[in-house]
Amino acid sequence: MNDKISKNIYKFSRFCIRCFSSRYRVCLSEKNINDTGIPVVYVVHHQNLRGPILSIAWLNIPVHLWVLSVFSDQRTCFRQFYDYTFTQRRGIPKGLAAVIAYPVSVWVSGIMQGMNAIPVFRGSRAIAKTFNQSLKALINGENLLICPDIDYTDPGPHMGEMYDGFLDLERYYIKRTGHHLAFIPLYISKREHCIYEGKAVYFHTVGDFKNEKKNVYDRLMQEFSRLENRYGSGLMS
């Protein structure tokens, strides 16, 4: 798709979301949360699309969203919607599913290209492309937005179990720059109409990466729990 067209699709879609959704402010849960100038890897609860949609619409800084590779290309996007989303998941008859899937796939893939999303090739050797593209963005001082939920369809407010592969970005980034990455949880509070930036979580060492990776994962989960307890409603937040 032409770059100009895809960027216009993305800008128009973002405009529509901001017009028809409640307004969300970006709020710091702690002062001077990340004043190092190091690029940030934001982590948000997917909540069946709610997390990435509201984050992209209301964050006041540009980010590169990690998105499954099938949604970055119109053809594979169509197959995903036709073969699974509309037929298997939604139970729509195949003929009608094809009619719906085509324009939706054009629109969704256009949004992904327009926002410069980074395709994630999960379960494939091509995952190296994901990390190479991400590393290039980080070294250029650009930020990432990742939704690592294992159960991405869970609409509840609590961050559940996460894939931890994204934490390997630290290993490559520190090797290239000598600096630790900042991993920052985002909590979207419906009650407060705020996107809260949690405390930045850093690796403390470059040695024993496996154990330190687990430590960082645990601290991210603890920070999500803190944000949920402080800013959540106890229901859908």
Side-chain angles (χ1 to χ4, degrees), residues 52-68:
I53 287 175
L54 290 179
S55 297
I56 291 297
W58 295 107
L59 280 179
N60 51 10
I61 58 171
V63 293
H64 293 280
L65 175 67
W66 267 25
V67 59
L68 283 177

Side-chain angles (χ1 to χ4, degrees), residues 40-46 51-52 55 59 63-66 143-149 159-164 166-167 169 182-188 195-201 216-217 220-221 223-224 227-228:
V40 169
V41 178
Y42 289 107
V43 184
V44 69
H45 181 15
H46 195 286
S55 297
L59 280 179
V63 293
H64 293 280
L65 175 67
W66 267 25
N143 305 303
L144 305 182
L145 176 65
I146 297 177
C147 311
D149 311 55
M159 173 61 89
E161 189 177 356
M162 302 185 299
Y163 293 107
D164 63 1
F166 71 96
L167 294 173
L169 286 166
F183 295 90
I184 298 183
L186 296 180
Y187 179 72
I188 302 175
I195 300 175
Y196 284 100
E197 292 188 10
K199 296 177 182 177
V201 177
V216 168
Y217 178 99
L220 280 172
M221 293 300 293
E223 181 62 6
F224 270 115
L227 294 170
E228 291 163 7

